Amino acid sequence: MPSLALRAGAAVKAVDAPGVLHMQGAMDDSQDLTQLDPRYKSMMRLVAAIPAVLLIIGSSVAEVAIPGWTGVIWVPALLLAAILVIYMPMRRFSTRGYSLAEERLRVVRGVLFRSDTVVPFGRVQHIDVDRGPLERMFGLATVTVHTAGSHNASVSLGGLAHEDALAMREEIRLAIRRDTQ
């Protein structure tokens, strides 16, 4: 596992719940992060295709309703749908990652608003591994780590292979057990 090393100048931005740190200045250390499962891109594309299809249907109805303006509504709608289905899932995928090292889970995400959350294992209350219908279809899972506190007391990491999610839960559980003995 890669080590969790913060760059010089990294500072704690906020402490929302006891033990959950949001780091500022450490977000550029993407070489320390593990990428999510590539199937997550496909799942995000499928999720984005639903509003894209609705947009195409709506623009087709508007295109028929406004005679003489062929392509004025449909072409921008197709471009927007292509951006939603092709570009945005790739961009979102490339900005997400995690690190599981030094008794900490670090989750980095965000396109416009970057978030870098560090959860020390000593603060973990329990760990959930969830799988929705689409995640099951793609063989993925979401790990949710719950910590003490009320505000931002849980950190979710979606896009993991189901086997990796189970292994991560077990690794965190064993680390917690070592700390309490």
Side-chain angles (χ1 to χ4, degrees):
M1 288 283 164
S3 67
L4 179 68
L6 299 178
R7 279 190 298 122
V12 175
K13 181 175 130 186
V15 179
D16 292 328
V20 179
L21 307 175
H22 293 276
M23 305 302 289
Q24 183 176 13
M27 293 184 225
D28 296 331
D29 291 340
S30 59
Q31 69 273 11
D32 293 341
L33 300 176
T34 303
Q35 280 275 298
L36 301 176
D37 192 286
R39 293 175 289 185
Y40 189 53
K41 271 192 285 194
S42 300
M43 188 184 88
M44 286 192 296
R45 283 192 174 120
L46 181 62
V47 169
I50 295 167
V53 166
L54 294 175
L55 177 68
I56 297 299
I57 290 171
S59 66
S60 297
V61 168
E63 194 73 32
V64 170
I66 305 172
W69 291 82
T70 305
V72 171
I73 297 172
W74 222 64
V75 170
L78 280 176
L79 289 173
L80 183 60
I83 290 170
L84 283 174
V85 175
I86 298 168
Y87 176 73
M88 287 307 293
M90 284 188 326
R91 181 77 175 123
R92 288 181 62 203
F93 179 81
S94 69
T95 60
R96 294 176 181 222
Y98 70 95
S99 173
L100 190 63
E102 295 182 18
E103 303 287 318
R104 293 185 175 138
L105 171 64
R106 176 182 177 207
V107 178
V108 178
R109 72 179 119 221
V111 176
L112 292 177
F113 299 97
R114 299 280 293 164
S115 171
D116 190 347
T117 306
V118 178
V119 181
F121 292 165
R123 302 298 303 168
V124 173
Q125 299 291 315
H126 67 278
I127 309 142
D128 295 328
V129 175
D130 301 313
R131 298 181 76 197
L134 287 177
E135 288 176 314
R136 283 194 303 272
M137 188 169 87
F138 285 95
L140 301 172
T142 298
V143 172
T144 305
V145 178
H146 299 274
T147 63
S150 58
H151 180 65
N152 285 341
S154 64
V155 176
S156 293
L157 177 60
L160 297 171
H162 184 242
E163 301 78 29
D164 294 343
L166 294 174
M168 179 183 288
R169 178 180 64 183
E170 190 63 23
E171 184 174 340
I172 295 171
R173 190 184 66 75
L174 290 173
I176 293 169
R177 181 174 283 167
R178 278 192 309 268
D179 288 346
T180 58
Q181 291 179 353

